[in-house]
């Protein structure tokens, strides 16, 4: 197995997690906070907007089954990379679009995909690309949130449509 990690921020981590848990080739997904200045922040601190952290998912994948490019293509299809510090009604720096690199080998692929998406969206992409820094795992109650609470209001109204879009758009990538 060729296990790799990438950390992605695209709004509320529950949305990204719910999709990536369904992706064939993804081994694990963990919700967390990254690229801020506070060590081990709490959800409340991150939501306060003072820590500089983004809500993120750490995606572990088997690169022999799914490429980094494919992981990123899914990422760009399930969030809006053109709205700074915002996804829908979720507003704040913690909801920014970001790709946080685990090693230097990832940068060329990431920058190539971002450039392609930026060209397709006429130069409007605001996705931050940076080395992963100051990562902290989110609290246990945030892990597997959609799977455990599919009927909760936010999940039903915001997360479920993103999951449905992924299932329609990437049928061949859905776990069997």
């Amino acid at each position: 197995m060729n296990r790799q990690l990438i950390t992605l921020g695209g709004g509320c981590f529950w949305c990204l997690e719910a999709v990536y848990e369904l992706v064939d080739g993804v081994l694990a997904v963990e919700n967390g906070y990254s690229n801020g200045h506070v060590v081990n922040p709490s959800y409340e601190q991150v939501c306060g907007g003072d820590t500089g952290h983004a809500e993120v998912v750490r995606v572990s994948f088997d690169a022999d089954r799914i490429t980094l490019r494919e992981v990123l293509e899914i990422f760009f299809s399930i969030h809006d990379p053109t709205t700074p510090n915002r996804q829908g009604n979720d507003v704040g720096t913690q909801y920014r679009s970001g790709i946080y690199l685990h090693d230097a080998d990832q940068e060329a692929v990431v920058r190539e995909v971002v450039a392609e998406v930026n060209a397709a969206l006429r130069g409007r992409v605001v996705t931050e690309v940076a080395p992963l820094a100051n990562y902290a795992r989110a609290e246990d109650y945030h892990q597997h949130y959609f799977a455990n609470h599919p009927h909760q209001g936010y999940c039903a109204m915001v997360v479920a449509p993103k999951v449905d879009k992924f299932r329609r758009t990437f049928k061949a990538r859905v776990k069997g």
Side-chain angles (χ1 to χ4, degrees), residues 62-81:
D62 181 351
D64 292 333
R65 294 176 50 209
I66 185 170
T67 65
L68 176 57
R69 171 176 276 283
E70 290 171 305
V71 169
L72 295 173
E73 287 169 354
I74 293 167
F75 171 68
F76 281 112
S77 77
I78 59 174
H79 87 291
D80 181 354

Side-chain angles (χ1 to χ4, degrees), residues 6-12 15-17 19-20 23 55-57 59 66-82 87 95-100 110 113-114 117 125-129 162 165-166 170:
I6 191 75
T7 299
L8 306 169
C12 176
C15 295
L16 297 178
E17 176 197 45
V19 168
Y20 282 108
V23 177
E55 285 192 17
V56 296
V57 291
V59 179
I66 185 170
T67 65
L68 176 57
R69 171 176 276 283
E70 290 171 305
V71 169
L72 295 173
E73 287 169 354
I74 293 167
F75 171 68
F76 281 112
S77 77
I78 59 174
H79 87 291
D80 181 354
T82 68
Q87 288 296 305
Y95 300 117
R96 67 187 179 267
S97 177
I99 302 171
Y100 304 105
V110 168
V113 173
V114 169
V117 173
V125 170
V126 296
T127 303
E128 174 179 63
V129 176
K162 290 179 185 248
K165 179 181 180 183
F166 163 73
F170 293 93

Side-chain angles (χ1 to χ4, degrees), residues 150-169:
H151 303 295
Q152 185 261 5
Y154 186 90
C155 289
M157 299 301 293
V158 178
V159 182
K162 290 179 185 248
V163 169
D164 292 342
K165 179 181 180 183
F166 163 73
R167 287 181 182 277
R168 283 190 319 274
T169 308

